[in-house]
Amino acid sequence: MKYGPAVRRRKLGAELRALRVGAGLTSGEAARLVGWHQSKVSRIETGRSGVTGSDVLRLLDAFEAKDPQLRELVVALAGAEDAGGHHWWHAYRGLLPPLYRDFISLESQACRIRTLETSVMPGLLQTPEYAYAVTRSVLGGMPERHIESLVDVRLARQAVLHAETPLHLTAILDEAVLRREVGGKDILQRQLAHLAEVAQLPHVRIQALPFSAGGHIGITGPFVVFSFPNTTDLDVVVLDHLTSSLYLERKDDLTAYTDAFEALLGHALPPEDSLKFIAQIAG
C-alpha cells in the first residue's frame, strides 16, 4: 500500500517508536545515542516532523535493529517524502498550506471518516457552487484564479466517495449547517438536494442534529475522526481552527472523541428521518 505524506510520517514514527521501546530505550536515551535533542525524536515519532533516510539509519543502528527487510521498510517510509508528486494534490502544492495537504493525505488513505459539522457542509458533500461560495466568503481577498483552484481541490477530494473501495462517511450536521444560506437561498436549496442524492450511497450516512436536541457535547465545535484499514494505531482526530488545525493522536483523546461521536448519533435524527428533515428545510 502506498501511503500519503501525513500517513507515511505517522506510520514511520510508530515503527521507530516500537523499535525504540523494543530496544529498552527512552526517547531521551535514544536522542543521546545519536547526538540529537529529545524533542527531535519526539517529533519524528509522532509524525510531526519528516526525517531523512540517513537519520533513520542512525536510529536503527542505535536500536540495534539489524533485520535487513525491516531496515528496508523503515528507510523506504522515510525516503518516500519526495513521492508526493504521485498524488493529485501535488499539482497544487504551491497553493495549499502543509496542514491542508496533510489533511487531504489522511482523507485519501482513510477507510472511514466520522465528522461533526456545526457551521458549513463537509467538503466531501459540497456542490461546486456551494464550495465556491464558502471559499469566497473565507478567502475573499485571494485572487480569483486561486479561489477557483481551491474549489477544484475541494471537488477532487470527493473522488474518495466514488473509488473502487470507497471511503465510508458518517456525517452529523447541526441544523445551523442546513439553514445557513451560504451563497444565497437557491444555492442552499440545491446543496440540500445534493445531500439527499449522496445519502443514497450505501457507504454514506447523514444524520441531522436539530436545534430541538438541546445542549449536547457537539456544541463545543466540529471535529473529524479518521480511521485507517488494518490498524487503529494511525487513527487521528482533527480539530479545525481559522489559521491552523490541531491533530490529536493520544489514545485518551481518540477514545473521548469517538465516544462523543457515538453519543451525538443518539441525539441526532436517524438517517431516514434526517432526510425528511432536510427536505422539509429545503421546501
Side-chain angles (χ1 to χ4, degrees), residues 2 71 89 94 115 129 146 151 156 212 257:
K2 180 183 286 186
R71 290 173 70 93
W89 60 88
T115 181
E129 57 184 356
H146 288 172
V151 172
S212 60
Y257 277 90

Side-chain angles (χ1 to χ4, degrees), residues 42-283:
S42 297
R43 288 196 305 272
I44 292 171
E45 289 188 356
T46 56
R48 295 195 195 99
S49 174
V51 60
T52 65
S54 59
D55 280 349
V56 167
L57 288 174
R58 292 175 67 184
L59 288 172
L60 292 176
D61 290 340
F63 303 156
E64 298 185 358
K66 303 185 183 301
D67 184 288
Q69 288 185 323
L70 175 63
R71 290 173 70 93
E72 182 180 354
L73 167 66
V74 177
V75 172
L77 285 171
E81 275 306 308
D82 294 330
H86 295 295
H87 301 284
W88 64 263
W89 60 88
H90 185 72
Y92 299 91
R93 64 190 181 281
L95 180 65
L96 305 179
L99 281 174
Y100 191 22
R101 295 200 301 269
D102 280 352
F103 186 93
I104 296 172
S105 174
L106 292 172
E107 192 175 69
S108 69
Q109 297 289 321
C111 64
R112 181 185 182 194
I113 288 179
R114 285 161 285 181
T115 181
L116 165 70
E117 292 294 344
T118 58
S119 297
V120 296
M121 300 288 172
L124 293 178
L125 299 177
Q126 292 178 8
T127 63
E129 57 184 356
Y130 186 98
Y132 179 86
V134 169
T135 308
R136 166 61 72 186
S137 298
V138 177
L139 302 171
M142 185 174 281
E144 183 67 19
R145 67 182 186 280
H146 288 172
I147 291 177
E148 291 175 354
S149 293
L150 287 173
V151 172
D152 290 342
V153 169
R154 183 156 299 187
L155 299 179
R157 285 169 45 198
Q158 298 176 4
V160 295
L161 296 179
H162 306 283
E164 184 176 349
T165 303
L167 172 78
H168 285 252
L169 173 65
T170 301
I172 299 177
L173 307 181
D174 188 84
E175 185 173 342
V177 176
L178 303 173
R179 292 192 179 276
R180 180 166 286 109
E181 295 181 2
V182 175
K185 184 175 292 185
D186 290 344
I187 288 178
L188 176 61
Q189 286 184 324
R190 288 190 287 273
Q191 173 63 62
L192 295 178
H194 178 68
L195 284 184
E197 292 176 9
V198 180
Q200 302 308 312
L201 296 173
H203 49 278
V204 174
R205 175 177 172 178
I206 297 174
Q207 291 190 231
L209 190 58
F211 292 144
S212 60
H216 51 75
I217 197 168
I219 60 177
T220 57
F223 60 88
V224 183
V225 182
F226 291 96
S227 296
F228 296 87
N230 305 323
T231 178
T232 60
D233 292 341
L234 294 176
D235 288 4
V236 60
V237 174
V238 180
L239 309 179
D240 253 344
H241 302 289
L242 181 61
T243 57
S244 65
S245 296
L246 180 63
Y247 288 67
L248 305 178
E249 303 181 73
R250 292 190 310 121
K251 189 171 183 179
D252 289 349
D253 290 328
L254 289 166
T255 299
Y257 277 90
T258 300
D259 289 348
F261 194 85
E262 292 302 316
L264 287 168
L265 288 176
H267 283 285
L269 298 173
E272 186 173 341
D273 291 342
S274 292
L275 292 181
K276 293 178 181 177
F277 183 69
I278 291 170
Q280 183 181 23
I281 293 175

